[in-house]
């Protein structure tokens, strides 16, 4: 166990009322049907089931025990899918006005318990308070936008033949997973979700309990992705597979849905890059650098790679280094006095100690093979409780020239590591920005709009910003990816509804499919 080092901060304590036990007791009070003293339940066949084998789990915040996911066996998961199909066949005939009313009531319940949902995210996946609240609020506000405007989106469309199966990564349980589930249900589908293996089970269980009380046909199950794939991906009952995660797992899902001709939305990782070319607004860059470290870059739209014109490297460093030194790291609930406000942090721990060690090993290996360390944050500057386990924490690191043999050269680190590549020509700039065969977002910072207009279409990212970061987006903003970063239908706005409904015969959805690519 790694314990907290000596820091430059006064002795800190846990904010009053925010201990895991406090959050757990509140869950027991709010949703006793889903939470029991011995753990959480799976939700299927419209009932909370005392099945599954719960594995031990710990919080990335301090290594302390928290609720583990009750993992189902494949046979039980198949029964849950069949039960969801029965729900789907009934739900698809529920009038839209009633579906809207039930979704709106669910949003009201989520709003009532938003602080508890956010606190669970802090303990389960290590989000600082500001970002945890934002995750909850984006889910609520995003779905409310659909509730208010769903009717024209559904004109001439019908629910799918079977429920939508959701398999998502752990980093955005509310604003990505719960948001998608509620919109899918609003569109007339029963929904199934697998809790992420690495965290978020209590938060998702509470959200599912609130939705189920309002009559939303939700199934929530836990288990190994490999063991449950036959049920959640390949089962003939499934009408659509919605996946958010890494390329390795995504490739296996893509192969399965392509073989079966099944509707799918597969969001996968890519190396999102920030290019610097003939640029001079260094104050703007300095202002954005700390924000790019939100949640330790554990985001699908994080920017871990800067591609910098060599002639501007000195000016880039003069702007970048002072900014990265202001990044704030620590225990998300550690305060000087129990009644203090939540600490203002850019990020806390990574998702677990194993990921932290893997990333630290990659950094060490990259330096051994020639990368130049330009910045390494100090653990002494972080905010920790006395003696706490800090094994899941990684301080910000910046490397110049990661070697081609390093994973940090071509893949997304999913942690607080920036890498810098220097280029001399526009061709090198584009090659470096397209290193991962497709990305979700990119940014090109240049003073010349004509240069941006000429180069941006050659960057293989779904969204490209001019000197500003791009995000996944909310409400009517579309989202997708190029190359290996996305498979299947694009989403966002009306496209999310179209992805999970049946349109006219012969309809070709906008998306990245094996046999065609169609932009919105």
């Amino acid at each position: 166990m790694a314990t907290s080092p000596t820091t430059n901060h006064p002795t800190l304590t846990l904010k009053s009322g925010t201990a895991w036990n406090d959050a757990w007791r509140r869950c027991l009070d709010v949703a006793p049907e889903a939470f029991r003293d011995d753990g959480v339940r799976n939700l299927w066949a419209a009932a909370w089931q005392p099945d599954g084998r719960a594995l031990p789990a710990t919080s990335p915040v301090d290594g302390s025990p928290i609720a583990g996911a009750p993992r189902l066996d494949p046979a039980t998961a198949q029964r849950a899918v069949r039960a969801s199909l029965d729900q789907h066949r009934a739900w698809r005939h529920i009038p839209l006005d009633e579906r809207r009313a039930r979704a709106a009531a669910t949003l009201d319940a989520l709003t009532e318990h938003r602080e508890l949902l956010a606190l669970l995210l802090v303990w389960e996946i290590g989000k600082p308070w500001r970002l945890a609240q934002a995750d909850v609020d984006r889910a609520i506000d995003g779905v409310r936008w659909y509730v208010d405007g769903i009717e024209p989106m559904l004109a001439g469309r019908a629910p799918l033949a079977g429920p939508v199966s959701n398999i998502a990564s752990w980093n955005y349980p509310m604003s990505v997973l719960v948001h998608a589930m509620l919109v899918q249900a609003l569109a007339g589908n029963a929904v199934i979700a697998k809790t992420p293996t690495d965290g978020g089970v209590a938060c998702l269980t509470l959200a599912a309990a609130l939705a189920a009380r309002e009559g939303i046909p939700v199934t929530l199950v836990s288990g190994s992705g490999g063991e449950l794939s036959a049920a959640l991906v390949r089962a003939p009952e499934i009408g659509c597979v919605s996946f958010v995660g890494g390329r390795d797992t995504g490739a296996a899902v893509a192969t399965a849905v392509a073989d079966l001709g099944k509707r799918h939305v597969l969001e996968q990782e890519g190396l999102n890059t920030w290019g610097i070319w003939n640029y001079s607004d260094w104050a703007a860059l300095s202002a954005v650098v700390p924000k790019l470290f939100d949640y330790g870059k554990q985001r699908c739209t994080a920017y871990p790679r800067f591609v910098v014109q060599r002639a501007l490297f000195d000016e880039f460093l003069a702007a970048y280094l002072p900014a990265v030194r202001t990044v704030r790291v620590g225990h998300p609930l550690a305060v000087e006095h129990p009644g203090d406000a939540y600490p203002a942090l850019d990020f806390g721990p990574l998702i677990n100690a194993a990921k932290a060690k893997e990333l630290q090993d990659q950094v060490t290996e990259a330096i051994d093979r020639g990368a130049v360390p330009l910045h390494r944050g100090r653990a002494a500057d972080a905010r920790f409780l006395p003696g706490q386990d800090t094994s899941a924490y990684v301080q910000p690191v910046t490397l110049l020239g990661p070697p081609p043999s390093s994973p940090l050269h071509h893949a997304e680190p999913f942690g607080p590591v920036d890498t810098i590549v220097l280029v001399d020509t526009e061709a090198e700039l584009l090659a470096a920005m397209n290193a991962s065969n497709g990305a979700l977002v990119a940014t090109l910072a240049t003073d010349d709009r004509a240069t941006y207009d000429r180069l941006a279409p050659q960057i293989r990212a779904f969204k490209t910003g001019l000197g500003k970061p791009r995000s996944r987006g909310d409400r009517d903003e579309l989202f997708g990816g190029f190359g290996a970063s996305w498979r299947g239908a694009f989403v966002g706005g009306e496209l999310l509804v179209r992805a999970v409904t049946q349109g006219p015969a012969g309809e070709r959805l906008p998306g990245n499919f094996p046999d065609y690519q169609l932009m919105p």
Side-chain angles (χ1 to χ4, degrees):
M1 179 181 101
T3 56
S4 59
T6 302
T7 72
N8 298 325
H9 303 286
T11 301
L12 302 176
T13 188
L14 196 67
K15 179 174 172 60
S16 179
T18 65
W20 169 256
N21 287 339
D22 296 325
W24 187 254
R25 282 194 295 270
R26 291 168 65 184
C27 289
L28 290 171
D29 290 340
V30 172
E33 70 273 28
F35 294 85
R36 304 293 172 86
D37 288 336
D38 61 342
V40 301
R41 299 291 186 254
N42 287 296
L43 172 61
W44 59 274
W48 291 95
Q49 311 283 354
D51 50 17
R53 181 172 60 92
L55 298 182
T58 58
S59 169
V61 170
D62 62 2
S64 59
I66 58 174
R71 297 159 69 97
L72 293 183
D73 59 77
T76 306
Q78 186 61 63
R79 290 169 57 202
V81 169
R82 284 196 294 269
S84 180
L85 177 61
D86 292 338
Q87 290 181 295
H88 179 83
R89 287 170 171 165
W91 177 254
R92 62 180 298 166
H93 298 296
I94 297 292
L96 176 57
D97 284 347
E98 184 173 342
R99 299 202 306 262
R100 292 171 68 175
R102 294 188 189 186
T106 300
L107 297 178
D108 290 343
L110 293 174
T111 300
E112 179 183 355
H113 299 290
R114 64 186 287 269
E115 291 200 359
L116 176 54
L117 291 162
L119 183 58
L120 292 171
L121 291 181
V122 173
W123 280 109
E124 292 192 285
I125 62 173
K127 283 201 170 185
W129 181 250
R130 170 180 62 88
L131 299 177
Q133 279 198 310
D135 192 20
V136 177
D137 291 343
R138 283 181 62 189
I140 295 170
D141 296 342
V143 177
R144 204 175 295 280
W145 181 85
Y146 283 94
V147 169
D148 293 340
I150 189 70
E151 191 166 2
M153 301 182 198
L154 287 175
R157 308 191 68 81
L160 298 175
V164 182
S165 176
N166 295 271
I167 303 170
S169 57
W170 43 265
N171 52 345
Y172 284 91
M174 292 295 299
S175 63
V176 173
L177 182 51
V178 170
H179 175 278
M181 292 164 61
L182 292 178
V183 175
Q184 293 159 6
L186 183 61
N189 303 288
V191 294
I192 305 169
K194 187 182 88 67
T195 58
T197 302
D198 287 324
V201 62
C203 177
L204 287 169
T205 298
L206 179 58
L210 299 175
R213 285 180 181 177
E214 304 302 335
I216 302 292
V218 176
T219 294
L220 184 67
V221 295
S222 299
S224 160
E227 292 183 357
L228 301 192
S229 177
L232 301 183
V233 176
R234 295 181 173 274
E237 293 91 342
I238 299 296
C240 176
V241 176
S242 177
F243 170 87
V244 180
R247 288 193 179 184
D248 290 343
T249 303
V253 174
T255 299
V257 295
D259 290 346
L260 299 168
K262 198 182 294 290
R263 184 75 64 88
H264 58 283
V265 178
L266 311 181
E267 176 187 329
Q268 300 169 106
E269 63 190 352
L271 184 62
N272 305 318
T273 58
W274 190 294
I276 307 281
W277 190 261
N278 293 338
Y279 179 72
S280 63
D281 192 358
W282 301 112
L285 179 69
S286 293
V288 80
V289 165
K291 298 175 184 177
L292 299 181
F293 277 89
D294 271 359
Y295 196 33
K297 296 185 182 273
Q298 297 177 106
R299 298 177 290 123
C300 65
T301 54
Y303 286 84
R305 167 66 50 79
F306 287 92
V307 181
V308 182
Q309 187 176 6
R310 190 184 306 273
L312 299 179
F313 185 48
D314 56 337
E315 295 178 83
F316 171 84
L317 282 185
Y320 174 89
L321 288 176
V324 76
R325 292 179 186 127
T326 68
V327 172
R328 302 155 299 179
V329 185
H331 188 305
L333 303 172
V335 294
E336 292 186 31
H337 306 99
D340 287 351
Y342 289 91
L345 301 173
D346 295 296
F347 66 92
L350 299 193
I351 186 59
N352 53 48
K355 173 60 182 178
K357 183 180 185 305
E358 174 191 281
L359 192 58
Q360 289 165 334
D361 288 346
Q362 289 178 354
V363 169
T364 298
E365 181 182 49
I367 293 172
D368 289 344
R369 295 183 180 182
V372 178
L374 298 178
H375 171 73
R376 281 187 274 199
R378 301 189 312 156
D381 294 330
R383 296 171 54 92
F384 294 125
L385 297 179
Q388 78 160 83
D389 184 334
T390 61
S391 56
Y393 292 79
V394 175
Q395 304 305 312
V397 176
T398 307
L399 301 178
L400 172 65
S405 60
S406 169
L408 297 177
H409 178 81
H410 54 79
E412 183 180 11
F414 232 63
V417 177
D418 275 344
T419 57
I420 301 171
V421 173
L422 302 182
V423 295
D424 296 297
T425 67
E426 290 183 355
E428 289 180 301
L429 174 79
L430 291 170
M433 293 189 72
N434 293 328
S436 68
N437 182 26
L440 303 175
V441 297
T443 291
L444 179 58
T446 179
D447 295 341
D448 181 23
R449 179 62 193 238
T451 297
Y452 175 84
D453 290 341
R454 178 167 46 82
L455 297 180
Q458 301 177 68
I459 298 171
R460 297 280 291 162
F462 189 79
K463 295 181 181 180
T464 301
L466 173 55
K468 296 180 179 179
R470 298 303 307 270
S471 69
R472 200 177 197 276
D474 294 301
R475 302 176 178 87
D476 58 350
E477 189 170 355
L478 308 181
F479 194 56
F482 288 145
S485 67
W486 196 278
R487 309 286 188 187
F490 295 148
V491 296
E494 184 181 358
L495 291 190
L496 175 53
V497 174
R498 290 174 66 184
V500 296
T501 53
Q502 196 68 47
E507 178 184 42
R508 298 202 335 156
L509 295 174
N512 187 17
F513 294 92
D515 54 343
Y516 75 90
Q517 179 178 297
L518 178 63
M519 290 300 293

